[in-house]
Amino acid sequence: MQSSPINKLQQLMIITAEECGELTQRCSKIVRKYKGFNEIEDDQRNKLLEEVGDVYCMIDLMTEHGVLDWKHIYARSSAKK
């Protein structure tokens, strides 16, 4: 296995940013194609699920590495709602 030229923090942040970008693209494609929630086709919903899952994974990895904690994430989520 080849070693990475960046450290673990940089790798975590870059991959998270990339995954967020992919989720942004998927959301944009859905907005351009559909007018309502019930119109979204299963294949597009599955692609959205994949991107959301990838972002969730990266958030989970941030908590595992001590960058963030779930208590503060949940509090911020409640405030945003």
Side-chain angles (χ1 to χ4, degrees), residues 3 21 44 47-48 65 70 75:
S3 64
Q44 293 299 316
K47 289 177 181 179
L48 178 63
H65 285 86
W70 284 113

Side-chain angles (χ1 to χ4, degrees), residues 26-79:
R26 181 55 49 200
C27 290
S28 179
K29 289 177 182 180
I30 289 173
V31 166
R32 287 195 320 258
K33 188 171 181 180
Y34 305 102
K35 291 183 180 181
F37 295 115
N38 60 343
E39 296 176 8
I40 303 171
E41 297 164 353
D42 288 343
D43 68 318
Q44 293 299 316
R45 196 176 299 274
N46 288 335
K47 289 177 181 179
L48 178 63
L49 174 61
E50 182 178 321
E51 299 306 340
V52 169
D54 290 351
V55 170
Y56 184 89
C57 171
M58 298 311 299
I59 294 168
D60 195 38
L61 286 170
M62 282 189 207
T63 65
E64 287 180 15
H65 285 86
V67 177
L68 301 170
D69 67 63
W70 284 113
K71 181 178 89 174
H72 292 114
I73 293 169
Y74 293 140
R76 177 59 198 142
S77 176
S78 294

